[in-house]
Amino acid sequence: MKKTLFIPIIGLSYLIVSCSPKKQIQETVVEVPSIQETESEPQEPVVRKRYNASETRKTDILHTILHVSFDWTNRQLNGKAIITAKPYFYATDSLILDAKAMDIHTVKIEGNDSPIVYKHDGAFLSIKLPKKYTAQEQYNVIIEYTANPEKVSQSGSSAITSAKGLYFINHDGSNPNKHQEIWTQGETEASSVWFPTIDDPTEKTTHEIYMTVQNKFQTLSNGYLADAKYLDNDMRVDHWVMDKPHSTYLFMMTVGEFSIVSDKWVKKDGTELEVNYYVEKKYEPHAKAIFGETPRMLQYFSDLLGVEYPWAKYSQVVVRDYVSGAMENTSATIHGDFLYQTTRELIDGGNESIIAHELFHHWFGDLVTCESWANLPLNESFANYSQFLWDEHKYGRMEADMNAYGEMEGYFLSAQQGGHVDMIRYDYKNKEDMFDGHSYNKGGRILNMLRTYVGDEAFFAALKLYLTENAYKNTEISHLRMAFEQVTGEDLNWFFNQWFLASGHPMVRFEQNYNTTTKELEITITQKQNFDKWPLYKLPIMVDIYTSKGVQRELIWTDEVEEKVTIKGIEETPLLVNIDATKTLLAKKVDKKSIEQWIYQLNNAPLWLDKKEALAKIGNSSNENAIKAVIKALDHPFWNVKTMAMAKLRKAVEAYPNEVKSKLTNIAKFGKHPKERAQAIKYLSKYFKEDKSLVAVYESGTKDQSYTVLGNSIKALASLDEKKGMKLAKANENVESAKVNNIIAEIYAENGTPEEHDFFTKNISELSSMNKYGFVQNYNKYLMNQDNQTIAKGIPVFKDIAENESMWFVKLSGYQLLSGLQNHYTKETSTLETTISSFEAEGNSMKAAEAQKELNYCKTKISEISTIINALKQNETDSNVKKYLGIK
């Protein structure tokens, strides 16, 4: 946190509103005087828009040296910080540091023996320097302190669920199933929980960290390991050096019994960059399968950007109970434990997009850093777009477009739920709000549109210019725009203003009309968005016109509510007019054209979104040619086109059941991609439910190396033969695959007995948070099919989830599932009361007594659950969970 601002008031009345732990937000209320005081009507004050300014820099930290050791029992860090600093420009005799929830023991100025006056209020450490220093004078302040992360009051967000800064995992070693670890999370402003600093992205500094740990532990930090000193008491001091400046939120430490798997990347000059993967011992054999593309990513991104990876090494570590997905700490990325997969699990797909995302941050975020959180898209939009770049490079445009579409849909959903906001927004209520589907998903799609407009050569030349001119500096959105303008020679304010500095997206309607007499094609583009809130967009749109002579591409522009564009010289009626032919426009589109054109698009247009749009239009049609086109799509070389077509086969199954069955069977047996094989089995089971001739296909699938294929095969067999399904589920209970576990859980949810309960509790204790959410939903379904005594076994399980899970949405599900059990017992109570009355009316006292005993049991459980939920709520600290539960 930063110091409180005291601003002189001259002629204005200031309302100071604190909306975040970092800064006070100024909302200026201007009193408008009347011209004739006695005659005028009362005036409403004009409230200026909230503005979150970039940090005013008064001090510049040049270097930080940290000496730290750890108190595992009390979850504390004992530290000494030696901070080399100077005034930023104006001379000053004070230093104010962020130091959250710390105990400050001593503060000294190196070379000065006189007592130092300081004040610590739990958030800021204000130090009175022994003299007034100029910007040309440096000084060293030495601070001895204890960090208390468990006393931190600041809250996290939906993206970063906690802001304690320093985390002790399984601190007392009491959980044999959980790795004992220490790790840090600095973004946005939590580094100042574990060391005193200026906790702002504009503060860039070099540093050294001396970590004292037990010999059994490995350590990781930014930069390189300079040396390790072994002590007499089975302890060791590791000395890490970061010799290039980076923002303080990127400082990191990790401690644990990790296996270090070594890799390397050979740079252009022939030197080797150290590349390491820190994993638990169990995953050591799989580390290169998980992370093995990293050296090739380093090479590809360095070549693509024209700027070689600038840091001393690149390490990645997987930690338990992480509070986010991953974090791009400079040269030392942290990943959540959902990244752990065995080599066999990786057959169905890994997390390369996340690995690429965090690596790309080392250019966009670490080397060049957003000046303020309002400019966060300069970090996150580029990292998001790196996922497209890597997919395109390794897997091709189809795969890249498929995943990019998912990102776009994520933006639409985020905006629908949380509202549309400007990409670059200085008026956020809380800096954590910036971590949303706009900064990430929408930003990645905007960059793709910019690349499409200026072309690849100009796009990457502009990125190189931006990176080289701003290396080790902070930027705002204008720096990016000017880099593109310098390269292209074009004023691009029109693009940046509507996409980065405004909210929303186009909602467009495309219509076409071909005049056979004049040989002219008229295209009408209508923008339908709310112009009171969103811009009227200036849009360059590519149109592909297909005729028997080939494909003619035209660039058309629109910047009107309704624009009619005439393309002359089209000698025959087009077979297809494909508007937005590059399929890069971020918009909600309505494209009016004939079913014949949609069929032609599915059969002939080249891009993934061409196929998806066409299948959406003709997939449920009874048109003979449409049905044949959908069946033909099952032969497409890209696996996802096949699986999209599979979902649209209902009419085809009615018209050509044998052909559909044959094609799906062939894909199930011989499809190259595991997802197409798995989906073929799923849809065979759906479309041909009672067909026992498919048993051999499903049984063959149970021998597939893909766990997804295995899981779908077990499910398909279970739908035909419940006993066989249960037998196969039992036989595969110990398979280390979350996908297979979930399939088994689905089968047990439908057909399980109390004997299967241990399967659920075992897996719940071992699954990562990301995989646990869906699994516990199946566990709940299973419980609801059991007797009341077995259902009660879910109470401690859901309590533990609500109390101890790190991911907020999983934690929240614990509360929801407990409430669900309480509702179940409440309904049971009502039913049993009616039953008892009936038995008593019949004079059946024995059955009435049995029902009364069950009623008493249910009432006990209602009370027990109520007590648990109330206690959990009283101790709840997660801000997201509190928000959803309405806890003040």
Side-chain angles (χ1 to χ4, degrees):
M1 225 180 288
K2 202 56 188 168
K3 57 188 176 297
T4 304
L5 300 175
F6 296 96
I7 302 176
I9 303 173
I10 305 174
L12 296 175
S13 172
Y14 280 87
L15 173 64
I16 308 297
V17 183
S18 178
C19 288
S20 76
K22 181 61 183 175
K23 293 187 180 73
Q24 289 180 324
I25 311 302
Q26 302 169 21
E27 287 192 355
T28 308
V29 180
V30 183
E31 302 293 346
V32 183
S34 61
I35 297 174
Q36 296 179 340
E37 291 185 8
T38 57
E39 301 292 333
S40 65
E41 295 181 0
Q43 299 285 326
E44 289 291 331
V46 178
V47 181
R48 289 181 182 169
K49 194 176 183 180
R50 175 187 282 106
Y51 180 76
N52 296 286
S54 299
E55 183 77 4
T56 298
R57 301 195 64 190
K58 295 190 174 182
T59 298
D60 186 12
I61 296 178
L62 305 175
H63 189 63
T64 300
I65 300 175
L66 299 175
H67 296 264
V68 301
S69 60
F70 306 97
D71 181 345
W72 287 82
T73 301
N74 296 306
R75 287 177 281 183
Q76 293 175 318
L77 175 150
N78 296 309
K80 180 171 80 169
I82 305 170
I83 299 171
T84 302
K86 72 177 189 66
Y88 185 77
F89 183 82
Y90 296 107
T92 184
D93 61 356
S94 67
L95 169 65
I96 301 177
L97 300 172
D98 297 286
K100 300 180 181 78
M102 290 181 183
D103 298 325
I104 304 298
H105 305 307
T106 64
V107 177
K108 299 177 182 178
I109 302 297
E110 193 173 80
N112 186 291
D113 295 329
S114 58
I116 298 299
V117 177
Y118 67 90
K119 179 183 177 181
H120 182 239
D121 63 2
F124 308 118
L125 175 60
S126 303
I127 301 170
K128 178 72 172 176
L129 300 174
K131 69 165 196 165
K132 201 167 195 176
Y133 288 86
T134 70
Q136 288 71 45
E137 295 179 289
Q138 299 180 14
Y139 56 86
N140 291 336
V141 59
I142 304 169
I143 304 165
E144 294 184 344
Y145 64 96
T146 297
N148 303 294
E150 300 307 310
K151 295 181 180 180
V152 171
S153 60
Q154 67 178 352
S155 300
S157 66
S158 57
I160 305 168
T161 60
S162 175
K164 293 197 299 185
L166 176 66
Y167 299 81
F168 291 80
I169 306 304
N170 194 20
H171 69 101
D172 56 2
S174 60
N175 186 345
N177 296 319
K178 184 166 287 187
H179 203 229
Q180 195 171 24
E181 302 168 350
I182 297 170
W183 47 263
T184 61
Q185 169 59 34
E187 194 173 38
T188 51
E189 295 169 6
S191 285
S192 52
V193 171
W194 61 278
F195 67 98
T197 190
I198 296 174
D199 211 346
D200 186 82
T202 58
E203 190 57 59
K204 287 183 173 256
T205 175
T206 56
H207 67 79
E208 300 171 61
I209 302 181
Y210 293 83
M211 279 187 265
T212 301
V213 297
Q214 292 173 264
N215 280 330
K216 67 178 182 178
F217 291 130
Q218 301 289 346
T219 69
L220 177 63
S221 188
N222 315 98
Y224 60 91
L225 182 61
D227 57 81
K229 181 180 178 181
Y230 289 86
L231 307 178
D232 293 335
N233 55 352
D234 198 33
M235 302 291 283
R236 187 182 78 253
V237 180
D238 285 352
H239 175 204
W240 289 89
V241 175
M242 183 64 179
D243 58 1
K244 294 179 180 178
H246 67 147
S247 296
T248 51
Y249 76 86
L250 295 166
F251 284 37
M252 73 84 70
M253 298 185 300
T254 304
V255 178
E257 289 187 76
F258 294 103
S259 294
I260 303 175
V261 178
S262 297
D263 211 337
K264 66 181 179 181
W265 171 56
V266 181
K267 301 166 74 172
K268 280 187 177 179
D269 63 5
T271 59
E272 292 183 358
L273 182 85
E274 182 182 328
V275 177
N276 290 322
Y277 316 127
Y278 285 62
V279 296
E280 294 173 26
K281 184 70 176 176
K282 175 182 176 181
Y283 289 94
E284 184 178 352
H286 310 291
K288 284 198 175 181
I290 296 169
F291 295 109
E293 290 295 332
T294 301
R296 283 170 285 283
M297 289 181 183
L298 283 161
Q299 186 67 56
Y300 176 62
F301 291 148
S302 293
D303 290 344
L304 189 68
L305 297 170
V307 178
E308 195 168 60
Y309 176 83
W311 309 104
K313 68 153 187 331
Y314 189 54
S315 293
Q316 296 172 87
V317 57
V318 181
V319 301
R320 295 287 178 177
D321 293 351
Y322 195 46
V323 294
S324 188
M327 181 64 205
E328 67 275 11
N329 307 299
T330 313
S331 78
T333 288
I334 289 181
H335 294 281
D337 58 3
F338 66 90
L339 220 72
Y340 278 139
Q341 291 176 278
T342 65
T343 303
R344 186 175 173 186
E345 282 181 291
L346 287 162
I347 291 171
D348 293 313
N351 290 284
E352 284 182 19
S353 63
I354 293 172
I355 293 168
H357 180 115
E358 304 307 326
L359 176 57
F360 210 64
H361 264 310
H362 284 72
W363 287 269
F364 295 92
D366 296 3
L367 180 63
V368 181
T369 310
C370 63
E371 183 182 71
S372 64
W373 299 117
N375 283 276
L376 182 67
L378 290 171
N379 293 10
E380 295 300 346
S381 296
F382 277 103
N384 180 277
Y385 190 49
S386 74
Q387 301 164 204
F388 180 93
L389 293 172
W390 178 251
D391 284 341
E392 183 182 40
H393 170 69
K394 184 179 178 185
Y395 300 104
R397 177 72 187 273
M398 279 269 181
E399 185 98 17
D401 281 348
M402 176 192 71
N403 291 326
Y405 183 84
E407 295 291 327
M408 183 174 71
E409 288 295 298
Y411 152 65
F412 288 142
L413 179 61
S414 171
Q416 180 182 334
Q417 294 177 340
H420 290 275
V421 290
D422 296 353
M423 285 286 293
I424 306 297
R425 52 190 186 274
Y426 293 92
D427 61 340
Y428 57 75
K429 292 182 180 179
N430 188 314
K431 62 185 180 299
E432 307 297 338
D433 297 341
M434 291 298 302
F435 294 81
D436 64 1
H438 292 76
S439 295
Y440 290 74
N441 308 48
K442 184 181 182 182
R445 311 290 63 74
I446 292 171
L447 291 172
N448 200 33
M449 286 190 294
L450 182 58
R451 176 186 172 191
T452 301
Y453 174 65
V454 303
D456 279 13
E457 185 177 357
F459 182 80
F460 292 109
L463 295 190
K464 180 179 180 180
L465 179 65
Y466 171 78
L467 291 169
T468 52
E469 285 195 345
N470 300 295
Y472 308 106
K473 298 177 185 177
N474 296 89
T475 57
E476 56 184 28
I477 193 64
S478 60
H479 291 91
L480 182 66
R481 174 180 57 79
M482 289 187 289
F484 273 89
E485 291 180 344
Q486 186 173 333
V487 168
T488 63
E490 179 183 354
D491 186 328
L492 289 168
N493 273 290
W494 66 269
F495 184 94
F496 280 77
N497 286 347
Q498 68 185 15
W499 289 113
F500 283 107
L501 300 175
S503 62
H505 52 264
M507 302 181 73
V508 292
R509 180 184 178 92
F510 301 140
E511 296 175 275
Q512 55 176 282
N513 181 56
Y514 178 70
N515 189 315
T516 56
T517 303
T518 63
K519 308 297 184 185
E520 292 177 346
L521 172 67
E522 182 183 75
I523 296 174
T524 303
I525 305 167
T526 309
Q527 297 194 40
K528 310 283 277 185
Q529 63 269 20
N530 183 343
F531 300 114
D532 291 334
K533 296 181 178 180
W534 297 355
L536 175 62
Y537 287 86
K538 179 179 179 180
L539 301 174
I541 301 174
M542 290 293 184
V543 179
D544 281 355
I545 304 162
Y546 289 71
T547 66
S548 62
K549 296 178 181 178
V551 184
Q552 176 181 332
R553 173 159 290 189
E554 298 286 343
L555 172 63
I556 63 176
W557 287 81
T558 179
D559 58 2
E560 301 288 344
V561 174
E562 182 176 287
E563 188 100 38
K564 292 184 182 294
V565 179
T566 300
I567 302 172
K568 299 181 179 181
I570 308 299
E571 295 300 320
E572 60 184 69
T573 302
L575 298 166
L576 168 65
V577 179
N578 194 2
I579 306 171
D580 182 29
T582 59
K583 295 294 178 271
T584 53
L585 180 62
L586 173 59
K588 288 284 189 179
K589 300 185 294 185
V590 174
D591 194 351
K592 302 297 288 185
K593 57 193 178 195
S594 67
I595 191 170
E596 288 76 20
Q597 284 204 30
W598 286 117
I599 293 168
Y600 192 90
Q601 180 171 314
L602 178 57
N603 286 332
N604 296 281
L607 299 178
W608 178 86
L609 194 50
D610 289 322
K611 312 297 184 185
K612 181 173 180 61
E613 289 176 348
L615 281 165
K617 290 293 183 181
I618 70 172
N620 297 318
S621 173
S622 298
N623 179 289
E624 182 74 8
N625 288 329
I627 292 171
K628 288 180 178 179
V630 173
I631 294 173
K632 182 182 176 183
L634 294 173
D635 298 323
H636 195 276
F638 184 56
W639 67 269
N640 185 253
V641 173
K642 294 176 190 172
T643 61
M644 285 193 295
M646 290 176 197
K648 299 292 185 180
L649 287 172
R650 185 172 60 84
K651 295 290 186 181
V653 170
E654 293 172 4
Y656 303 101
N658 292 333
E659 184 177 359
V660 171
K661 179 180 171 183
S662 175
K663 284 184 177 290
L664 289 178
T665 300
N666 189 63
I667 295 170
K669 289 180 176 179
F670 307 113
K672 292 182 179 179
H673 197 286
K675 289 181 181 177
E676 66 182 273
R677 299 197 301 275
Q679 290 298 93
I681 288 169
K682 172 185 172 180
Y683 283 106
L684 279 168
S685 180
K686 176 181 179 179
Y687 294 132
F688 305 96
K689 291 181 180 179
E690 307 299 326
D691 192 336
K692 295 195 175 183
S693 70
L694 291 169
V695 167
V697 177
Y698 303 151
E699 287 180 339
S700 176
T702 64
K703 301 177 178 66
D704 198 296
Q705 283 298 295
S706 160
Y707 282 134
T708 307
V709 176
L710 168 62
N712 282 4
S713 299
I714 294 172
K715 191 174 181 180
L717 286 165
S719 69
L720 283 173
D721 185 334
E722 179 185 313
K723 289 183 179 179
K724 179 174 281 190
M726 285 292 289
K727 184 178 180 181
L728 280 167
K730 282 283 185 186
N732 287 279
E733 277 190 357
N734 294 321
V735 168
E736 292 190 32
S737 165
K739 293 176 181 178
V740 174
N741 293 156
N742 261 315
I743 293 291
I744 294 172
E746 286 180 33
I747 293 170
Y748 287 168
E750 294 294 326
N751 306 312
T753 68
E755 291 180 10
E756 281 72 54
H757 187 266
D758 288 349
F759 163 79
F760 286 99
T761 54
K762 175 181 178 292
N763 279 281
I764 288 170
S765 69
E766 295 176 355
L767 285 171
S768 69
S769 289
M770 290 286 193
N771 290 324
K772 190 174 292 185
Y773 181 81
F775 189 84
V776 295
Q777 308 307 315
N778 281 320
Y779 174 51
N780 186 60
K781 291 176 185 176
Y782 160 82
L783 288 175
M784 291 301 102
N785 287 326
Q786 307 305 314
D787 58 57
N788 286 324
Q789 285 67 31
T790 303
I791 290 172
K793 293 181 180 180
I795 297 173
V797 176
F798 296 152
K799 174 180 179 289
D800 182 68
I801 290 170
E803 193 169 30
N804 297 313
E805 276 302 317
S806 57
M807 301 302 289
W808 72 268
F809 58 90
V810 184
K811 190 178 182 71
L812 177 64
S813 75
Y815 282 93
Q816 294 168 333
L817 292 167
L818 279 170
S819 295
L821 296 189
Q822 191 175 36
N823 290 338
H824 163 79
Y825 284 117
T826 300
K827 290 177 182 177
E828 282 286 287
T829 298
S830 178
T831 301
L832 285 165
E833 286 173 344
T834 302
T835 301
I836 290 169
S837 297
S838 297
F839 285 146
E840 288 176 341
E842 295 170 1
N844 194 333
S845 58
M846 184 177 295
K847 286 190 175 181
E850 290 175 359
Q852 183 64 52
K853 183 179 178 182
E854 190 72 7
L855 174 64
N856 294 339
Y857 180 82
C858 290
K859 286 182 175 180
T860 301
K861 293 304 164 185
I862 292 170
S863 176
E864 179 185 342
I865 296 169
S866 180
T867 301
I868 289 170
I869 291 175
N870 289 334
L872 288 169
K873 286 183 174 180
Q874 286 178 5
N875 296 315
E876 187 56 69
T877 59
D878 189 289
S879 59
N880 291 297
V881 173
K882 290 171 74 173
K883 173 185 173 183
Y884 275 86
L885 294 178
I887 303 172
K888 301 296 184 182

